[in-house]
Amino acid sequence: MIQDDLRILQENGFVTQYEDKTGKIYVSQSTQIFICEVLLPYMPIEDFKNLLLQKGLLIKQFGCRKFIFDKRVIRGFHQPSMEWYYAVWKPKMEEKFGLRIHRKLFTTEEWFRKCVEVGRTEIRRKYPNSTVHQMDIKMCESLKEAITT
């Protein structure tokens, strides 16, 4: 995260609740917003799943109305990870905890954003009846935008 992001975290009362080599999870109890920051340019699927499963444990503890996924450092796109995240993890978090608001932060590299777009299209095709398609999911350009929208 850049200096401005760290200031925003502090101003909004975010506290680090989990950290390992792959990522950090910050929680603001007053706003019930979670931020998961990925720390590696590429993350094997098992590490990706573990990080999100840790987040699920924290949601159970603190409650969560909005999830911000900061993947700005990722430089390797992996469709099976994205598919698991959309087709399994998001619907499970909605079912168990009512989590429907998701914000994404990606690299500004156009090729990566295009991969994400193509990946989402494939998920819509493979899982046309998934509840994930009715969720409030937006890509944002800054942490501040992700928190305020």
Side-chain angles (χ1 to χ4, degrees):
M1 289 202 180
I2 61 173
Q3 197 63 31
D4 193 43
D5 292 340
L6 297 174
R7 180 184 53 75
I8 290 168
L9 289 178
Q10 185 177 18
E11 288 173 358
N12 288 279
F14 283 93
V15 175
T16 304
Q17 293 293 339
Y18 178 82
E19 181 175 358
D20 67 15
K21 67 180 174 31
T22 62
K24 293 182 181 182
I25 300 172
Y26 308 92
V27 176
S28 170
Q29 285 185 273
S30 63
T31 62
Q32 283 197 308
I33 297 174
F34 278 52
I35 299 169
C36 183
E37 175 189 19
V38 174
L39 301 174
L40 301 173
Y42 175 77
M43 187 180 305
I45 192 167
E46 290 309 315
D47 291 342
F48 181 76
K49 287 180 177 182
N50 181 61
L51 187 60
L52 288 172
L53 291 173
Q54 292 299 322
K55 184 192 175 291
L57 295 174
L58 291 170
I59 288 176
K60 188 175 184 179
Q61 180 179 354
F62 294 106
C64 179
R65 69 171 192 82
K66 181 191 289 185
F67 174 46
I68 300 168
F69 208 174
D70 182 353
K71 300 186 266 185
R72 291 177 284 188
V73 302
I74 290 182
R75 297 298 183 263
F77 181 80
H78 187 245
Q79 180 66 20
S81 295
M82 183 177 178
E83 191 168 316
W84 174 84
Y85 174 54
Y86 272 80
V88 177
W89 189 83
K90 281 184 180 189
K92 186 175 182 179
M93 293 299 106
E94 178 187 31
E95 179 186 324
K96 290 179 85 172
F97 306 112
L99 178 59
R100 296 186 53 79
I101 302 171
H102 298 263
R103 298 297 180 259
K104 313 287 180 205
L105 297 169
F106 294 118
T107 176
T108 57
E109 293 181 37
E110 195 57 39
W111 71 267
F112 188 87
R113 290 180 176 211
K114 188 65 176 171
C115 286
V116 169
E117 184 181 317
V118 169
R120 285 183 184 158
T121 300
E122 179 65 12
I123 289 166
R124 271 191 230 69
R125 186 190 66 72
K126 284 179 80 172
Y127 305 94
N129 300 319
S130 175
T131 60
V132 76
H133 306 303
Q134 285 76 49
M135 291 181 186
D136 179 357
I137 303 170
K138 292 185 175 101
M139 186 172 72
C140 298
E141 297 301 324
S142 70
L143 183 59
K144 183 176 183 177
E145 178 188 356
I147 290 171
T148 60
T149 63

